[in-house]
Structures are given as C-alpha cells and as structure tokens.
Amino acid sequence: MQTADVVILGGGIVGSSIAYHLTAAGCRNVVVLERESAQGKGSTGKSMGGVRAQFSTPVIIQMSLYAIPFYASFEERLGYPCDYRPQGYLFCATNDRHMAYLRANYEKQVAMGLKNVRLVEGDEIRAMFPLLRGDDIVGGSFCSTDGFVDPTSAMNGFIAWARDHGATVRKSVTVTGLGRDAQGISTVETSAGSISTRKAVNCAGAWARSVAAMAGVDLPVEPLRRMLVPSEPFDQFPHTAPMIVDMSNGFHFRPESRGFLLAWNDPEETLGFKTDFDPAFVEKILTRAADRVPCFADLPVNPKRAWAGLYEMTPDHHPILGEAPEVPGFFLANGFSGHGVMHAPATGKILSDLILTGKTDLIDATLLDLARFAEGRLIHETAVL
Ligand SMILES: Cc1cc2nc3c(=O)[nH]c(=O)nc-3n(C[C@H](O)[C@H](O)[C@H](O)COP(=O)(O)OP(=O)(O)OC[C@H]3O[C@@H](n4cnc5c(N)ncnc54)[C@H](O)[C@@H]3O)c2cc1C
C-alpha cells in the first residue's frame, strides 16, 4: 500500500497551494489526488481571476493581505508566472447606504495595514472613466493593488513547484472513501487502491460535502452556478481599466485579452450542480452592461464562448478551514464562496501551518473552523460578488 504524510483530495488551485506550502515547509511525502485527467476542470478553470483586499471582515482582509503580495512576487518565488495584473478594483456606489458601507470597510482595511486603498468622489470616477454612465454614482472606493491573476497559471505554478520539490500528483484517481481508526484518519480509499496516511485534506471544491461525508462529517458547502460572458475584441473602453463594480445591481467587468469579461450574479439562481450555460443570461447581462457603460450596447458577444462554473457556498460566505472537530487528521479547505482563487495562497499557508504545527499566526483560525456553525459563531460578509 502507498503511504503518504499528507494526502490532498482535489487538485484545483486550493489543493495545489496547500501542496506548495507543505512542500516549501519541508514536508516531502505529499500526494495530490485529482479525479479528472487534468487539473483545473473544477471551479479554478472557470474563475474570473479577480484578487482583492477590499473586503469587510478582518479575517478575510488578513487573508487577502497575504495573497496580494504573494501573487505580486509569485514568479520570483516559484519560478512560474501567474499573470498578476494590478489594475485595481473600483467599487461604484449609487446610494448613500452603499457609500457608508464602503467607508466603513475602507476604515477597517486601512486599520489593518492596506496601503493602496482610497475613497473616491463621484466626480473623480466620472473623470477617470467618462465612458461610464456616472449620473447616479455618488462615490466609490479604489485599491490599486487589487486586480487579476490567471487562475490556471497560478494553479500550475503551485503544483509544478511542489512536484519539483517532491510532491506527487495522481490524476484520473477518484477518492471513494476515508478509513478511520481510534486515532482518526487511517487511509484514503481511491479508484486506484488505498493510501495509508494520518492526514487528509478536503480540497474538493463544490464537491467537498460528499468527500466530507466519507469521513462522517456534515459540511455545509453547496454548489451555486455562476456564469461569465467574454466579449469579442472591443477597443472603445480602456484596457487599462480595473475591475469595475456597479453596486446598484452587482454587474462587474474587467478587461480580458482584447475584449472584456462580464459578470453578474443572477439573484434568481438556485443551488445545485448546474454547469450548463443558459443562453438567456446573455441578454440579462448585456442589458446591465449597456446601462452602466453605454458603448457596451455595441459590445460583440459570441454566446458559444460564454461559460458557467460553480461557487462553493457556505451559510456565512466564509471558507471553512482547519481540522474537523471529531475526526483527527481530517482537514478542511472548503467553501470559498466565490473567492477561492484570491484566497488560495493564504489557505495554503494556514493549512500547512495547522497540519504541520497545529497552529497558525496568519489568522485566528478558530474564526473559520467548522464548529462555528454548530456553535452559532457565523460571520457575515456582504461584499460577495
Ligand atoms: C464563474 C466563476 C467566477 C469566479 N471568479 C472568481 C474570482 O474572480 N476570484 C476568486 O478568487 N474566485 C473566483 N471564483 C471562485 C474560485 O474559482 C473557486 O473558489 C476556486 O477555484 C476553488 O478552488 P478549489 O481548488 O477549492 O476547487 P476546484 O477548482 O473546483 O477543485 C476541486 C477539485 O477536486 C476534484 N474532486 C472533487 N471530488 C473529487 C474526488 N472524489 N476525488 C478526486 N478529486 C475530486 C475536482 O475534480 C476538482 O478538480 C469564481 C468561480 C466561478 C465559477
């Protein structure tokens, strides 16, 4: 039987970052299991790649404060690119309630050490982007070190570094069960045989609930479809633009390749493993796009290039990190609720710390543990895009 110090269940960006951080910390016998024939076929390959520190809860801001410099120095550290583009995130408020929310967040972010965030007046936004319809914009917030990465490149970089330093990746291998004895996790059962280990990490993304159930753990992670629409080449709006977020309805967009990538979270979407793209979404999103950016009325879109993927939602929109309360050796890195790419670096560090030393300095890990749901310690984050 194969043995491993740590087995990682799922080879998306989160599993890959944990493999990297474990290996970088000196753990040599790390095995990553991925049921697909290639990594990135889960949510990672469907992501918009946005990275930001403009959040409202301190624990998430802390995770971003680790992530952004990490992505900025990714190539230097790992020797592989992640295509970090610090073009910023610009939140545009159209009412005083949203502006007050941005101001309160700004104060928290600055207090926690975020340097490049600032509040902006409506007039400044209108001057920065005269092509936005700005008549109802009362102000906003902008952080120049927020931006985008290429999620697949980042995932590939993490895993390549980990492999270069001793980790093993086994593709087309499905986790089918988790063995337990009196000490906790004892084996990982797979479609290709058993692996003896005392430590297994659930990195199964939107499928994490079923993997947790294999260890007898009830994990409140639910799949929720999200759709993205890329445009064809379009040069009537600047390609240096940040991610621009219309807070009146949640529509947001960023430059991508020679065009733009459009996103909007349909409030009518329901939970479930739906990964088909709904063609009716194109008109819904283009209506919102043209409303905020009048020249987007001419934006060329080929619906065949649009796609759908899954967010992994938790009841409080915060990830679930750390060892499962009743199963020693079973670790969770799940439920990123739409932010798993930007929070993969911190998650890798936190999980590596918890697995190897039982503690971490990066955050107060009890805030994100699974027990918070049973104990009524949920966190509320409303800045979910
Ligand atoms: C449309 C869209 C836009 C997004 N935009 C952003 C964004 O702008 N910024 C951001 O930070 N995040 C964004 N996200 C969220 C982000 O993509 C995810 O949170 C992140 O990719 C989760 O990574 P993961 O490794 O946990 O999961 P995944 O990438 O889904 O990887 C999980 C892996 O586990 C494997 N697996 C599952 N079950 C088993 C099993 N039994 N055995 C073996 N392998 C198994 C799967 O095949 C999969 O490869 C977006 C998501 C979507 C869908």
Side-chain angles (χ1 to χ4, degrees), residues 41-57:
K41 290 190 167 180
S43 301
T44 300
K46 309 284 169 50
S47 170
M48 197 174 190
V51 294
R52 63 182 160 110
Q54 291 187 82
F55 277 96
S56 69
T57 60

Side-chain angles (χ1 to χ4, degrees), residues 9-16 33-36 38-51 89 173-176 203-208 210-211 214 224 226-228 243 307-312 333-334 336-343:
L9 319 174
I13 194 165
V14 170
S16 301
L33 302 177
E34 170 52 55
R35 68 179 170 193
E36 302 287 348
Q39 292 176 255
K41 290 190 167 180
S43 301
T44 300
K46 309 284 169 50
S47 170
M48 197 174 190
V51 294
Y89 257 68
V173 173
T174 302
V175 177
T176 54
C203 300
W207 302 269
S210 60
V211 169
M214 295 174 194
L224 179 64
R226 291 301 189 208
M227 293 182 270
L228 295 180
M243 182 85 81
W307 69 86
L310 298 170
Y311 274 16
E312 335 80 14
N334 305 117
F336 293 92
S337 306
H339 307 132
V341 168
M342 63 185 99
H343 291 141

